[in-house]
Amino acid sequence: MLHHCALCHIDLDKVSVRRGGQVLLQDVSMHIHCGQLTVLIGQNGAGKTTLIRALLGQIPHTGVIRHVDSHGLNIPHLRTGYVPQVLQFDREMPLTVQDYLAAAVTKRPVWTGVSKKVREKVRGMLRDVNADGLADTPLGRCSGGELQRVLLALALEPAPDLLVLDEPVSGIDRNGMRMFLETLTDLRRTRHMAILLVSHDLRFVREYADHVVLLEKSVLTQGRPGEVFASPEFSAVFGTGGEEEEDS
């Protein structure tokens, strides 16, 4: 068992996933601290998506995943928000951002109209992710970065204990990526939630992450970005030019 720390956190203790005799994850132990941005890095096939699916309860695993308070006591009912890499939908569908979010927060069909109370709630959700100008925008006309903000707004309702993001800035331009990551930085400060982000962009990982975990079916090394990037494990996985190659 990992030693007790002074922050509330999501505690993974020897989490393993096997499928058809194949080991997908082996004894993964780590903390995802509240109020911090933890970034998961590794090559394709390292088990990052498998770990996310285990955290979301989508696949069976051995080991323990628990929400722990600052006194080391279990907090029941871990509430998790999830932002996928892409949203698959018909871009020709006559649906605004407001309609899309309203459908998620009310049982009333949006084609019957959106009440003033729900409109105010949706606009508040969008303000929280610096996207309050998108409410009346057709969903199909949103850029990649704007769509990710909409998905982030949805993942934050209701407020999660753990926010999981699976390469949410993949395919987004640099400005959109920076805006999204700065929004995450604000959220971790203001809401004190635990955030786990999967990313291949190592330059932004170095700049924004509080804690980095290098995965290769198990945890090879973890720590502050500079420590992980300077480690022999990082060089073995990415090569000495790994960071520069990701920036190109």
Side-chain angles (χ1 to χ4, degrees):
M1 182 72 68
L2 292 177
H3 63 82
H4 168 59
C5 69
L7 295 174
C8 62
H9 59 277
I10 316 302
D11 182 14
L12 286 74
D13 185 40
K14 295 184 177 180
V15 172
S16 298
V17 176
R18 293 174 175 82
R19 182 183 300 156
Q22 182 182 6
V23 176
L24 303 182
L25 286 177
Q26 181 67 46
D27 291 337
V28 172
S29 295
M30 56 184 279
H31 287 163
I32 309 169
H33 290 135
C34 299
Q36 293 188 0
L37 175 59
T38 298
V39 181
L40 197 61
I41 63 172
Q43 297 284 23
N44 291 335
K48 301 186 296 297
T49 298
T50 299
L51 182 58
I52 283 177
R53 293 186 66 194
L55 276 168
L56 295 175
Q58 295 177 347
I59 56 175
H61 63 84
T62 58
V64 177
I65 299 174
R66 63 193 188 114
H67 188 194
V68 183
D69 69 13
S70 58
H71 301 291
L73 301 176
N74 286 357
I75 303 174
H77 311 304
L78 174 65
R79 192 164 51 241
T80 305
Y82 174 59
V83 178
Q85 185 173 347
V86 293
L87 174 65
Q88 301 291 348
F89 69 102
D90 181 1
R91 285 185 171 270
E92 300 303 317
M93 188 168 46
L95 185 73
T96 66
V97 168
Q98 177 175 269
D99 293 337
Y100 176 71
L101 293 178
V105 299
T106 181
K107 295 180 180 179
R108 180 179 174 180
V110 295
W111 55 265
T112 65
V114 178
S115 69
K116 180 180 178 181
K117 181 178 179 181
V118 172
R119 286 198 304 271
E120 290 174 350
K121 181 176 183 62
V122 166
R123 290 180 186 273
M125 292 166 63
L126 290 170
R127 276 195 302 273
D128 287 344
V129 296
N130 301 315
D132 43 323
L134 292 178
D136 297 321
T137 303
L139 196 64
R141 294 185 185 177
C142 290
S143 68
E146 289 170 342
L147 276 175
Q148 290 306 102
R149 286 176 180 276
V150 172
L151 291 175
L152 179 58
L154 186 58
L156 294 173
E157 179 61 39
D161 303 305
L162 171 64
L163 177 64
V164 179
L165 307 103
D166 188 5
E167 297 190 58
V169 293
S170 178
I172 299 176
D173 63 43
R174 289 283 174 176
N175 287 337
M177 186 183 302
R178 187 173 294 280
M179 287 179 63
F180 188 87
L181 291 170
E182 287 177 354
T183 299
L184 287 184
T185 298
D186 290 340
L187 285 171
R188 70 169 175 72
R189 290 172 181 162
T190 58
R191 299 203 181 190
H192 200 66
M193 69 179 67
I195 304 177
L196 178 66
L197 169 71
V198 175
S199 180
H200 281 102
D201 195 305
L202 299 179
R203 186 178 75 176
F204 279 99
V205 171
R206 179 184 285 277
E207 184 174 353
Y208 286 95
D210 297 298
H211 188 77
V212 177
V213 179
L214 175 57
L215 194 69
E216 182 53 53
K217 300 194 181 206
S218 61
V219 175
L220 297 183
T221 187
Q222 58 182 310
R224 298 193 64 80
E227 298 168 346
V228 171
F229 284 32
S231 70
E233 292 87 356
F234 180 91
S235 295
V237 171
F238 291 105
T240 54
E243 185 177 2
E244 289 76 11
E245 289 171 7
E246 290 286 340
D247 290 345
S248 60

